[in-house]
Amino acid sequence: MSDRLQAYEIFAELMDRKSFSETSRALSVPQATVSKQIVSLEAALGVQLFIRSTRRVSPTAEAEELIPHVRHMLDSHEEVLRVAHRELPSISGNLRIAAPHSYGRRVLLPILAEFMEQYPDLLVDVALHSRPPDLLDAKIDLAIIGSATLEGPYRQRLLTTHRWIIAGTPSYLKQHGRPSNPIDLEQHWLIVPRLYPSDVLVFDSEDGRQSVSFRSRLKGNDVEFAEGAAWQDAGLAVLPDWMLGFRPSLEPVLSDYVLAPIPIRLVFPEAKIVPRRVRALIEFLALRAHSA
């Protein structure tokens, strides 16, 4: 270990223990080395880090300001070494996530199970929602949203894009007919969740853009309600594409016509240093999204 890196490690340990002798024992280095490295670091940084007395060691305001950055640097160095030796970085602690109900159950859950296999010391708490919570009040580390950007002191990252689709049961389509173009939807009852972003359906295709008004006599504020209503043959449901592909599955219609995109964003509180467990999950989700 270089002298400067050792000095930062000693600084971080001394911030925790507030004792030169205890820091010496914890790091298995002579107490004289602890003192020498702190003096050297103070000289290099041009600030006093600790106020020494015969009974205790007290961090200065400058030390309190520097310590988060130092810990981040030490964590990064440790991660570099682990990657170089093809080891997974050690990640532990609590990770609280928020996600929409259907997305959390059908998309996020299997990815989380795989992620937690890699990091067995991590404890994950998932809050499913119909509307994104206040991340700071709810102490959320990372939120997944499928709506417009979330207002607040947050950082946001586009993860992937899904689309709205229209689907019904085989029995409904047999009885009422399968629409072959958007205008045919005017002959059907549609079940549109309240979070759909428009009062009309706007389709793009090789033939251009078409806007269609829809009839609806059964409404709900949840996409799983719309899916359930479609299973009762109450009409054709407008759903996010991640709702399909499970068994049993509704049948999509009008596959040559594309509805509005659904941007899926990762949102997390603004901070100079993002916790490593959060960074690890963000990169894992991004990797899975790109390989899907």
Side-chain angles (χ1 to χ4, degrees):
M1 180 185 296
S2 69
D3 284 349
R4 186 49 50 80
L5 191 59
Q6 183 188 46
Y8 282 119
E9 187 178 44
I10 287 172
F11 166 56
E13 195 70 29
L14 189 55
M15 286 291 292
D16 288 338
R17 300 184 181 274
K18 310 295 192 298
S19 166
F20 280 85
S21 59
E22 290 184 18
T23 298
S24 170
R25 286 192 293 270
L27 296 178
S28 300
V29 297
Q31 187 169 332
T33 300
V34 174
S35 180
K36 177 183 176 182
Q37 290 285 28
I38 292 299
V39 170
S40 174
L41 189 58
E42 287 177 327
L45 297 174
V47 296
Q48 184 177 1
L49 298 173
F50 298 95
I51 299 172
R52 293 85 156 170
S53 69
T54 55
R55 294 187 177 181
R56 61 179 300 176
V57 176
S58 301
T60 62
E62 289 79 7
E64 297 286 1
E65 184 177 355
L66 287 171
I67 188 59
H69 304 281
V70 171
R71 294 195 196 284
H72 179 62
M73 180 191 67
L74 293 173
D75 281 348
S76 297
H77 176 261
E78 191 68 25
E79 193 166 338
V80 167
L81 293 179
R82 289 181 181 276
V83 171
H85 292 91
R86 300 188 181 278
E87 298 175 3
L88 286 171
S90 176
I91 294 179
S92 60
N94 298 314
L95 184 58
R96 186 163 170 77
I97 307 166
H101 284 281
S102 61
Y103 192 92
R105 293 189 183 103
R106 306 197 186 197
V107 181
L108 179 62
L109 180 55
I111 297 175
L112 273 183
E114 186 180 354
F115 178 72
M116 294 178 69
E117 282 185 9
Q118 292 195 13
Y119 303 105
D121 295 329
L122 196 62
L123 302 177
V124 179
D125 181 359
V126 180
L128 299 180
H129 63 76
S130 56
R131 179 171 305 201
D134 185 302
L135 272 60
L136 299 179
D137 285 349
K139 296 182 172 56
I140 299 295
D141 294 303
L142 179 68
I144 299 171
I145 64 172
S147 56
T149 55
L150 198 60
E151 296 297 327
Y154 306 129
R155 294 171 64 179
Q156 308 201 30
R157 172 174 171 176
L158 181 65
L159 177 64
T160 188
T161 300
H162 288 266
R163 291 198 175 274
W164 292 97
I165 53 91
I166 299 175
T169 64
S171 59
Y172 176 90
L173 294 172
K174 182 177 181 180
Q175 180 179 355
H176 298 277
R178 180 184 295 270
S180 58
N181 58 69
I183 199 68
D184 291 343
L185 293 175
E186 294 182 353
Q187 307 305 315
H188 295 264
W189 291 110
L190 265 65
I191 308 146
V192 184
R194 214 169 275 130
L195 54 80
Y196 186 78
S198 175
D199 293 332
V200 297
L201 298 175
V202 180
F203 294 89
D204 285 310
S205 71
E206 293 181 352
D207 300 325
R209 175 166 293 185
Q210 299 181 55
S211 298
V212 177
S213 299
F214 55 82
R215 299 188 305 156
S216 179
R217 61 177 179 175
L218 180 60
K219 297 181 179 180
N221 63 347
D222 181 79
V223 293
E224 291 187 341
F225 177 86
E227 180 194 39
W231 276 112
Q232 299 300 316
D233 288 340
L236 297 174
V238 178
L239 301 170
D241 58 12
W242 67 72
M243 302 287 288
L244 270 66
F246 294 83
R247 294 292 183 264
S249 178
L250 298 172
E251 290 187 14
V253 299
L254 300 176
S255 56
D256 292 334
Y257 297 86
V258 179
L259 283 169
I262 309 171
I264 302 298
R265 293 184 176 89
L266 301 177
V267 185
F268 45 100
E270 182 71 57
K272 291 183 179 179
I273 300 174
V274 179
R276 186 165 49 166
R277 62 186 180 277
V278 177
R279 287 188 284 119
L281 179 57
I282 289 173
E283 296 309 318
F284 194 85
L285 291 171
L287 181 64
R288 288 297 173 272
H290 293 153
S291 62

